[in-house]
Amino acid sequence: MAKTPEPKRTISLKPCDGDVIEVSPMIAKQMQTIQSFIEDDSFIATTTIIPLPNVTAFQLSKIIDYLNYHSNSKAVADNVKESTKKFDEEFLKELEHDKLKELLHAANYLNVKEVLDFLCQAVADLIQDKSVKFVRKFFGVVNDYSVEEEEDIRRTHAWAFEGVEED
Amino acid sequence: MEEADDFRNWKELLPDLQGEIFTYLSLQERLTTVPCVCKSWASTLAGPYCWQEIDIEEWCNQNEPDKIDRMLVMLIKRSSGSLRKLTVSCVQTEKTFTFIAENAGSLQTLRVSRCNMTDSIVEDLTQKLSMLSFLDVSYCNKIGAPALETIGKNCTMLEVFCRNMHPIETSGKPFDDDEAIVISSTMPNLKHLGIAYNLVKTEGVVRILSNCPKLELLDLRGCWGVNIENISLEKDFPNVKVLGPHVIDYYEKNGWDDFSESSGYLGWDFMVDEYYDDDDESDISDDIWDDEEGLEEIQFTFYQGIGNAEMFWRPSP
């Protein structure tokens, strides 16, 4: 049954501010932007280095960490939910707020759906159940409505949630 | 909030991403908080991008029919013809279904459970919604085999069809294969079919299995007219996973240990979700799940919104 192991094949990614990072094809496949490089005829896995001018080494390694963890955790059946939740929480904790936004942009540039979905959810969680005032302050948004305009907008959809119990 | 300063440059967030983030918020948040923040948030939100997928089932369960109609019309207008996925329940009026039919021709996934639809409404609706690949008409008690036939004939791309019934509706009624025959003869492309608590008999199930060669999952839980032992599943239909008819089979077979954590019908919903989660990750790792939108969120849920459903848990009639 002895089979010659397949030659080690990794994809070389070069972030804008650091050394080349090698990723497995399985991880690279989840980055749509990288995938389109790989599918290009001129791509040679052993020598081609894919430059990523919009992504820092920190962002790239965070994204790879996330993908690695989540693709491995699928294989292990026990307590997946618990440990995944813990990993996700830790993952976000390590991100200062500014870095969260930048990482969102990096994930968007690399077009890696799993990370993008996760980060969008994380930002949405910051907004959910907060007051308008809080959201403005939190995101540094300046209120450009007049008092009357704001009141109008507030009233527009109020009918839909009247009489519904607050959670 | 100390961190407020760090967020100052969130304004630079790409509008696409902003819109994407809004889609993760609850309906209430999207309609009350977000548009009040500033004009640019309001305009991002008003665009169709945020409303390509509309799921207001939970909201529908808490609101009166006239409010549901008003909300649906408003949201569907916002989607500007780009609506892909719509999940509602308890829609009562014919003119709202007409509105959906006229304005949501791009729908691929439609879930209209517990709605007051008649066979003729279904016919009108599905004539306009021929793109559907996922349709859920569970607990719509007024429709029958004729409606299912028009669905099958009009929606030729249908891959997932849910026609689960509530045990109260079907208990005591005579078994018959009318709906099963229509399904088997008009929906040949089905991959997933949910007909829990349907009055189908063994022959009807065999017809479905024989005529829907792409079938991967058949949910027969609570279909007491089916004698599953009389069908040689492994031999004749090795590609199909069958759930039921005995409700208890599922968690016994799969060794569900944590069941005691959750109680009643909610626990059951959770289990079903788990089942599909597992599915996604193990057996069906092929690209079919990536390629075909809509299939990834399949759930067959039971007894939603019915508080005392536990009493129907008994595995035998």
Side-chain angles (χ1 to χ4, degrees), chain A residues 18-35:
Chain A
D19 295 333
V20 168
I21 296 177
E22 301 284 337
V23 299
S24 72
M26 198 194 71
I27 295 294
K29 202 181 160 192
Q30 296 181 65
M31 306 176 182
Q32 290 286 312
T33 308
I34 306 299
Q35 190 58 22

Side-chain angles (χ1 to χ4, degrees), chain A residues 81 97 129 136 138 145 159, chain B residues 7 29 35-37 67 274:
Chain A
K81 278 215 156 141
H97 291 139
D129 300 325
R136 276 190 198 130
F138 211 66
Y145 288 121
W159 60 269
Chain B
F7 270 86
E29 222 73 25
C36 285
V37 169
K67 273 193 179 180
E274 283 288 306

Side-chain angles (χ1 to χ4, degrees), chain B residues 42-287:
Chain B
S43 81
T44 304
L45 187 86
Y49 184 83
C50 289
W51 305 100
Q52 290 177 355
E53 298 186 359
I54 297 173
D55 181 349
I56 55 168
E57 188 182 15
E58 207 187 325
W59 182 87
C60 288
N61 290 334
Q62 297 171 317
N63 282 280
E64 299 299 312
D66 58 328
K67 273 193 179 180
I68 294 173
D69 292 339
R70 190 175 164 191
M71 177 66 81
L72 261 177
V73 169
M74 182 188 85
L75 295 183
I76 290 173
K77 275 183 185 162
R78 284 198 179 195
S79 70
S80 310
S82 65
L83 191 60
R84 284 196 307 246
K85 200 163 155 184
L86 178 63
T87 306
V88 293
S89 77
C90 310
V91 178
Q92 302 292 322
T93 41
E94 184 169 354
K95 75 174 191 329
T96 304
F97 287 111
T98 311
F99 188 84
I100 295 173
E102 299 291 337
N103 293 281
S106 54
L107 274 178
Q108 292 158 6
T109 298
L110 178 63
R111 307 188 69 167
V112 282
S113 56
R114 283 189 293 282
C115 285
N116 187 26
M117 289 190 292
T118 58
D119 289 343
S120 74
I121 291 177
V122 170
E123 187 172 359
D124 289 347
L125 194 64
T126 52
Q127 270 172 5
K128 299 281 169 57
L129 305 181
S130 55
M131 303 280 285
L132 286 179
S133 62
F134 186 130
L135 179 62
D136 183 348
V137 291
S138 295
Y139 321 113
C140 295
N141 299 326
K142 286 191 181 171
I143 59 173
L148 269 52
E149 188 170 6
T150 55
I151 291 169
K153 285 183 174 162
N154 289 323
C155 308
T156 51
M157 290 185 282
L158 203 61
E159 292 180 340
V160 181
F161 184 57
C162 305
R163 173 75 184 135
N164 299 314
M165 296 303 289
H166 193 278
I168 288 178
E169 274 307 312
T170 50
S171 83
K173 289 185 184 162
F175 296 118
D176 83 68
D177 276 335
D178 288 358
E179 292 196 3
I181 289 168
V182 169
I183 290 172
S184 70
S185 56
T186 62
M187 304 181 189
N189 294 318
L190 284 184
K191 289 181 177 170
H192 293 221
L193 174 63
I195 48 172
Y197 289 98
N198 195 286
L199 295 165
V200 62
K201 294 184 282 188
T202 310
E203 300 76 42
V205 170
V206 172
R207 282 183 79 139
I208 290 172
L209 287 165
S210 310
N211 291 334
C212 306
K214 296 174 186 167
L215 205 60
E216 293 162 4
L217 185 79
L218 177 59
D219 187 348
L220 297 173
R221 283 175 293 186
C223 296
W224 306 126
V226 177
N227 192 345
I228 202 75
E229 284 77 30
N230 291 354
I231 307 174
S232 27
L233 285 171
E234 276 163 35
K235 184 172 147 274
D236 296 338
F237 311 102
N239 299 324
V240 187
K241 264 185 198 172
V242 176
L243 294 184
H246 291 283
V247 176
I248 201 159
D249 272 355
Y250 173 70
Y251 49 86
E252 276 190 343
K253 224 187 309 185
N254 289 273
W256 183 261
D257 299 329
D258 294 330
F259 182 56
S260 54
E261 277 182 19
S262 44
S263 64
Y265 71 100
L266 286 174
W268 180 253
D269 280 355
F270 181 55
M271 279 186 333
V272 176
D273 287 349
E274 283 288 306
Y275 175 85
Y276 286 97
D277 281 356
D278 290 350
D279 222 30
D280 259 356
E281 286 154 18
S282 54
D283 303 353
I284 308 175
S285 56
D286 299 323
D287 287 342

